[in-house]
Amino acid sequence: MAAHTIYYGTIIHSVSIEQVDIIQNGVLVVDATGIIVHVERDVADIKEFLDKQPYRDVEIHSLGAEQFLMPGFVDTHAHAPQYMFAGSGMDCQLLDWLEKYVFPCESAFESTDHALEAYQKVVARFLSNGTTTCSWFATIHLEACKKLVDIVHQLGQRAFVGKVNMDQNAPEFYIESTQSSLKDTRAFIEYVQSKETTLITPVVTPRFAITCSSALMNGLSQLAKEYRVPIQTHLCENHDEIDFTCELFKSKDYTSVYDNHHLLNERSYMAHCVHMSDEEIDLLAQRKTGVAHCANSNFSLHSGVCDVRRFLAKGIKVGLGTDVAGGFSPSMLDAIRSTFFASKTQKIIHRDNGKNNDYVPLKTNELLFLATLGGAQVLGLQDQIGNFEKGKSFDALWVDLEGGSIDLMGGESMDQKLEKFLFNGNDQNLKHVYVQGGKVSSRK
């Protein structure tokens, strides 16, 4: 294995939510540990570059004229077991969908053999779609959750993995006691940490407030504090869910329920957040809690249209999530496109309601940011991944525009080629997928 791997060609990444940096004739140098050690633009001749640098034991990869490198996608919210029925139940709303599809499906993961077969497929599928980092919900079953961690580790994905917790308002065939939920969560956290890998992080995962007692949520917040691990859950996804939660906990709003149980902090992130008051958004901002925006799921389960600009205006961290299987696609390209349509719909809503005819939908540079560096910020990984800054891990996609469903007509600028990939591309355009410098998926 070479001491350094050098990639030479076009490099595209987000510097900020406002700026996409397109580096022509770029050189990106990755060391043997998968860390980016050098980035340079406008290199006319790679041999002349090497003559001036100390890199001697190198492996050089030159990208083609219609190829480029970009950061790997960060999916901030997905349910690994639900990939079993992705695309089903799109006629239901959230609470009915959970009863009819989710709970029966997830209960089957009591079988570790079933979990092993299913999780192999889902993690491999997400990697082939360019999801180098994913935040996973698993199920309530400790041993099956361990299998998901083993498979993530084996296949090389960077991941946050959570054992789901639920001790109330769930069917008898799929529920746990408060004590066993906390005991198994502790055991799961310690199992993940025993792997001694920087690629996998345990995340405390109450399903949502409806299925978690106060005792359970308080216990989970204590575990998160004790082990210094993040917290993920669902928030304000559906009107019926919100009404049920507020009545159940006698709370003025949904967000306060989590805050009262110490589940909101700078390492927490909430999925959906479709229907929130200004006061609730201010609370998220105060707690420095992130948001996983899942536009496909919000449309598919009739939940609503989340206005991402409300969060961005308050300085809240926002990333994108596929929310498989509420969202029917495992592709972050679909998440980008669904987010695009949700933002366009918000403009229509603002115009028709006479709120603000100047509402600006999300632009391409913002969509790319949310799918990469924005997601990294939500997960607290912004110093490790999300773009190609020196010192970060090489989590990357080698995009080949001459394949898949893209037709290049000639004369496109690099901005246009990026847009063609984001709006017309698919997994067939991903020549290679890398995590920490290692190739985790490839198309020959």
Side-chain angles (χ1 to χ4, degrees):
M1 181 178 180
H4 294 90
T5 303
I6 294 178
Y7 298 88
Y8 178 52
T10 301
I11 301 167
I12 301 175
H13 67 155
S14 292
V15 177
S16 68
I17 194 168
E18 293 88 13
Q19 182 183 355
V20 173
D21 190 14
I22 297 178
I23 303 173
Q24 302 276 20
N25 297 317
V27 170
L28 191 152
V29 184
V30 181
D31 71 13
T33 67
I35 300 299
I36 299 166
V37 295
H38 190 100
V39 181
E40 190 160 331
R41 64 180 66 234
D42 300 322
V43 176
D45 189 307
I46 187 65
K47 292 182 179 179
E48 289 183 7
F49 168 82
L50 287 173
D51 288 341
K52 300 175 184 178
Q53 298 294 333
Y55 312 116
R56 292 294 173 261
D57 180 17
V58 299
E59 181 179 325
I60 300 173
H61 297 287
S62 295
L63 281 71
E66 305 302 349
Q67 300 175 348
F68 61 86
L69 288 180
M70 64 170 285
F73 290 128
V74 180
D75 187 340
T76 59
H77 185 69
H79 294 260
Q82 292 180 20
Y83 187 60
M84 296 289 293
F85 65 92
S88 303
M90 298 292 95
D91 57 326
C92 297
Q93 292 194 30
L94 175 65
L95 298 183
D96 291 338
W97 179 74
L98 289 170
E99 294 288 343
K100 186 175 180 180
Y101 291 94
V102 174
F103 295 154
C105 171
E106 292 190 9
S107 67
F109 282 74
E110 184 175 6
S111 164
T112 54
D113 289 340
H114 177 70
L116 185 64
E117 182 179 1
Y119 288 152
Q120 286 275 3
K121 291 179 180 178
V122 64
V123 177
R125 176 63 65 186
F126 274 62
L127 283 170
S128 70
N129 275 284
T131 300
T132 53
T133 299
C134 190
S135 183
W136 295 110
F137 276 57
T139 65
I140 67 174
H141 312 104
L142 175 60
E143 295 307 315
C145 292
K146 290 179 180 179
K147 292 296 183 186
L148 177 56
V149 171
D150 293 344
I151 290 164
V152 167
H153 192 213
Q154 171 195 338
L155 297 182
Q157 189 179 50
R158 190 183 302 274
F160 283 36
V161 183
K163 176 212 161 299
V164 169
N165 299 274
M166 42 195 290
D167 68 343
Q168 65 178 20
N169 295 314
E172 290 184 5
F173 62 80
Y174 191 49
I175 196 169
E176 54 191 348
S177 70
T178 306
Q179 182 178 6
S180 66
S181 183
L182 293 172
K183 178 183 177 182
D184 286 354
T185 299
R186 180 183 293 276
F188 177 73
I189 293 170
E190 292 180 351
Y191 180 79
V192 177
Q193 293 182 339
S194 73
K195 292 283 187 182
E196 295 184 345
T197 172
T198 58
L199 293 182
I200 309 176
T201 301
V203 51
V204 165
T205 307
R207 173 166 233 115
F208 63 162
I210 290 173
T211 58
C212 296
S213 67
S214 284
L216 179 55
M217 286 192 283
N218 282 327
L220 291 172
S221 67
Q222 285 298 314
L223 285 173
K225 182 178 180 180
E226 178 182 346
Y227 288 94
R228 301 181 67 183
V229 297
I231 299 166
Q232 65 176 351
T233 188
H234 302 85
L235 174 62
C236 292
E237 180 176 356
N238 169 282
H239 283 301
D240 291 342
E241 169 212 15
I242 294 168
D243 292 343
F244 190 179
T245 301
C246 291
E247 180 180 353
L248 187 64
F249 291 93
K250 309 302 179 189
S251 178
K252 63 177 182 177
D253 59 51
Y254 194 163
T255 308
S256 295
V257 173
Y258 290 141
D259 195 48
N260 292 340
H261 292 91
H262 312 290
L263 291 168
L264 301 182
N265 59 47
E266 69 281 357
R267 298 201 68 187
S268 303
Y269 47 104
M270 306 286 113
H272 301 290
C273 301
V274 180
H275 308 287
M276 299 189 69
S277 66
D278 291 340
E279 184 179 3
E280 288 178 283
I281 291 177
D282 288 340
L283 181 56
L284 289 188
Q286 291 166 17
R287 299 292 183 259
K288 300 181 180 179
T289 296
V291 171
H293 175 52
C294 306
N296 183 317
S297 177
N298 295 339
F299 281 127
S300 295
L301 296 180
H302 323 163
S303 296
V305 185
C306 180
D307 186 354
V308 170
R309 289 233 178 265
R310 294 180 70 201
F311 301 101
L312 296 177
K314 295 286 186 178
I316 293 172
K317 301 168 289 188
V318 180
L320 305 186
T322 58
D323 193 27
V324 166
F328 52 75
S329 174
S331 170
M332 282 292 289
L333 287 172
D334 175 87
I336 288 171
R337 294 160 195 169
S338 298
T339 297
F340 168 80
F341 283 120
S343 188
K344 292 286 188 181
T345 304
Q346 275 295 334
K347 181 173 178 64
I348 295 170
I349 292 170
H350 278 70
R351 182 198 64 197
D352 291 352
N353 291 341
K355 289 182 179 179
N356 179 8
N357 203 34
D358 297 326
Y359 186 89
V360 179
L362 293 168
K363 302 174 183 177
T364 302
N365 59 303
E366 295 172 306
L367 294 169
L368 178 64
F369 172 87
L370 293 173
T372 55
L373 186 55
Q377 291 175 350
V378 167
L379 301 183
L381 299 176
Q382 66 276 5
D383 294 332
Q384 300 177 48
I385 60 168
N387 62 12
F388 294 134
E389 291 179 357
K390 181 180 176 180
K392 291 190 177 184
S393 297
F394 185 66
D395 288 15
L397 310 179
W398 182 322
V399 179
D400 185 356
L401 298 175
E402 294 184 316
S405 55
I406 296 174
D407 288 313
L408 295 175
M409 309 307 291
E412 293 96 343
S413 67
M414 275 312 305
D415 291 289
Q416 290 174 314
K417 290 176 182 179
L418 173 62
E419 289 177 323
K420 282 203 169 188
F421 172 65
L422 295 181
F423 291 106
N424 297 116
N426 57 32
D427 59 327
Q428 301 297 312
N429 296 110
L430 299 181
K431 183 179 177 68
H432 303 298
V433 179
Y434 303 90
V435 174
Q436 194 80 26
K439 193 182 296 181
V440 293
S441 183
S442 186
R443 294 194 178 277
K444 302 300 182 184

